[in-house]
Amino acid sequence: MPYFDTASAAPLHPVARQALLAALDEGWADPARLYREGRRARLLLDAAREAAAEAVGCRPDELVFTSSGTTAVHAGIAGALSGRRRVGRHLVLSAVEHSSVLHSAAAHEAAGGSFTEVPVERSGAVDPAAYAGALRADTALACLQSANHEVGTEQPVAEVAALCAEAGVPLLVDAAQSLGWGPVAGRWSLLTASAHKWGGPAGVGLLAVRKGVRFAPQGPAGERESGRAPGFENLPAIVAAAASLRAVREEAAEAVRLRALVGRIRSVVAERVGDVEVVGDPERRLPHLVTFSCLYVDGETLLHELDRHGFSVSSGSSCTSSTLEPSHVLKAMGVLSEGNVRVSLPMGTAEADVDRFLDVLPGLVAEVRERLGAPVSAPPSPTPVASLVVDALGRRCPIPVIELAKVIGEVPVGATVTVLADDEAARLDIPAWCEMREQEYVGEEPADRGSAYVVRRLS
């Protein structure tokens, strides 16, 4: 069964497995002790730190191991903000950061600080000039992911890092999705990553803090990992994480192969599946990840159908989420969210598996659309009415958009259709439908329940 969700967690790399088993025998002792077992463990820990630091592009004494990538993000943001509290309490981040960064920002605000979210373009990337415009005299820290975890778009880290350095603001880079593919360019100040994203074991994160960056670890002080990651090191997992990071970096040819496979998915999905939006930057992107959204499709049903046919994929659609809201990344980009599918290929993915996925997908999308009563087209009514109101209250995506598509042909060109909906996805998907169908999205108006979305027919 093809596993196409390595952006969530990559399968354990063979080198990681070998290193983990060896370290279980050799690295079980306390590396802080001076007897021979402790010294042996210390040698393993030092070697792992040196290997990881080389891959990151920092000094070994600038890097510590944490219990997860999320822990690294929280510790990095809290420590940098505290270390620069005399400068101010303002934080800058992009609107598409990982939830760990957003949660840190919310906690900072709750404690009396403030933050600014920099919007992104439709490709998912920030404009460096807009990012620089968010920096203030009291900005203590800026955060920018190296590449997006949902759509694969690479951020202009080097350009933003230069602008932050010019303003005297340290930049924290969340490199969780990209570190396995290569080092992060630019004059960044702090960097975080997570081993299970590149084929290392879960439960190992990296936090690098450059020399000269003011940093004050928060919480009770610890004696290990420079006081920045308290608790006994999970040495076998750390050794496996460092070994697998070095191994995946040496497999550059695989990145080229996966980029070609993802390029094939991007083009073939657009050709074979009607009413689909392939999102994210087509060029500045991770080699293994692609996301697309299918109009008139219930994302949860589509994921279940793909799973039934042996494909494990992910989604940012609200109909696959317990929150009933579409992904904050898709919302920030302003792209279609319904029927969203994220495909992220692990190393070693067979070309035949990708071909079978592309053969199966169009039929499954058509089946889901037919089941939901989605229109094949919207022929104009012989007796068009001046305007229409569609009541989709209490109905989840993609039903509000399907109901809109069914009736748009019943009003004359220039007239409007108003969709009443209380599903959060409608706020994103109705404007996206208008752009795909070349109709005019007039705007959102208040209603007794939910919102009223007004669409003007142009053709």
Side-chain angles (χ1 to χ4, degrees):
M1 291 179 62
Y3 175 78
F4 287 173
D5 193 24
T6 192
S8 294
L12 194 65
H13 194 283
V15 169
R17 184 182 301 275
Q18 295 169 5
L20 181 64
L21 292 175
L24 287 172
D25 291 331
E26 297 294 326
W28 51 267
D30 186 347
R33 301 305 172 207
L34 299 179
Y35 40 72
R36 62 180 180 277
E37 293 87 356
R39 294 196 305 271
R40 189 159 55 230
R42 168 57 65 179
L43 288 173
L44 288 173
L45 180 58
D46 290 345
R49 197 183 312 278
E50 289 177 6
E54 181 182 3
V56 168
C58 67
R59 292 168 35 166
D61 60 352
E62 293 175 330
L63 184 143
V64 299
F65 295 104
T66 67
S67 59
S68 69
T70 294
T71 300
V73 166
H74 292 170
I77 292 177
L81 287 172
S82 179
R84 286 174 46 85
R85 59 187 177 277
R86 291 185 179 179
V87 173
R89 304 197 65 191
H90 180 240
L91 173 67
V92 174
L93 60 150
S94 82
V96 294
E97 296 297 314
H98 187 266
S99 59
S100 60
V101 176
L102 301 183
H103 293 160
S104 286
H108 176 60
E109 184 179 50
S114 63
F115 69 90
T116 298
E117 279 192 6
V118 181
V120 296
E121 299 169 347
R122 194 171 179 85
S123 68
V126 298
D127 176 5
Y131 198 99
L135 302 176
R136 310 188 319 210
D138 64 337
T139 300
L141 178 66
C143 299
L144 183 65
Q145 59 190 189
S146 54
N148 188 259
H149 51 292
E150 291 195 25
V151 300
T153 297
E154 294 180 335
Q155 296 290 354
V157 173
E159 296 95 317
V160 170
L163 293 168
C164 287
E166 185 178 336
V169 177
L171 177 68
L172 182 149
V173 177
D174 170 18
Q177 288 295 335
S178 74
L179 191 61
W181 304 106
V184 176
R187 298 161 58 190
W188 50 266
S189 302
L190 303 95
L191 182 142
T192 63
S194 185
H196 73 277
K197 302 295 187 181
W198 66 68
V204 179
L206 306 181
L207 169 60
V209 182
R210 297 280 199 197
K211 294 294 183 184
V213 176
R214 292 186 177 275
F215 192 89
Q218 298 301 286
E223 296 81 19
R224 301 174 186 273
E225 296 300 300
S226 304
R228 295 173 181 172
F232 195 92
E233 296 97 343
N234 184 350
L235 186 52
I238 287 172
V239 170
S244 57
L245 179 56
R246 173 177 286 178
V248 298
R249 284 289 191 84
E250 293 174 350
E251 298 171 354
E254 182 64 3
V256 174
R257 192 181 73 88
L258 291 181
R259 179 174 289 275
L261 286 179
V262 165
R264 173 167 166 73
I265 294 173
R266 293 181 67 92
S267 61
V268 172
V269 164
E271 292 170 1
R272 296 183 185 176
V273 181
D275 295 321
V276 68
E277 182 176 11
V278 182
V279 301
D281 195 296
E283 301 298 331
R284 293 190 60 169
R285 58 175 174 83
L286 292 170
H288 68 305
L289 194 156
V290 57
T291 296
F292 53 89
S293 299
C294 306
L295 196 63
Y296 312 139
V297 170
D298 173 0
E300 183 174 9
T301 301
L302 181 57
L303 260 61
H304 284 321
E305 289 298 319
L306 285 167
D307 181 54
R308 193 166 63 84
H309 284 75
F311 296 98
S312 302
V313 299
S314 184
S315 173
S317 292
S318 64
C319 43
T320 63
S321 168
S322 60
T323 65
L324 304 183
E325 291 190 11
S327 147
H328 72 278
V329 172
L330 301 179
K331 289 175 67 175
M333 294 169 64
V335 297
L336 183 70
S337 77
E338 62 189 44
N340 179 260
V341 174
R342 180 184 71 179
V343 175
S344 48
L345 307 178
M347 290 190 171
T349 296
E351 185 175 352
D353 288 337
V354 171
D355 288 340
R356 189 167 73 84
F357 174 80
L358 293 172
D359 288 339
V360 166
L361 179 70
L364 296 182
V365 171
E367 288 177 14
V368 174
R369 285 173 173 165
E370 183 178 4
R371 203 177 306 169
L372 291 171
V376 176
S377 61
S381 169
T383 55
V385 295
S387 62
L388 279 175
V389 176
V390 175
D391 186 350
L393 293 168
R395 310 186 74 181
R396 292 181 57 191
C397 78
I399 301 302
V401 176
I402 289 177
E403 294 303 314
L404 166 63
K406 286 180 176 179
V407 302
I408 190 69
E410 297 179 13
V411 300
V413 172
T416 61
V417 174
T418 300
V419 182
L420 303 178
D422 51 7
D423 180 51
E424 183 64 25
R427 183 170 285 112
L428 188 63
D429 292 344
I430 289 176
W433 178 89
C434 290
E435 182 166 335
M436 295 175 74
R437 283 289 183 267
E438 297 183 341
Q439 309 296 341
E440 179 186 356
Y441 178 63
V442 177
E444 178 182 350
E445 298 177 354
D448 292 339
R449 282 182 56 202
S451 296
Y453 303 95
V454 183
V455 175
R456 177 174 286 109
R457 183 182 173 192
L458 299 182
S459 60

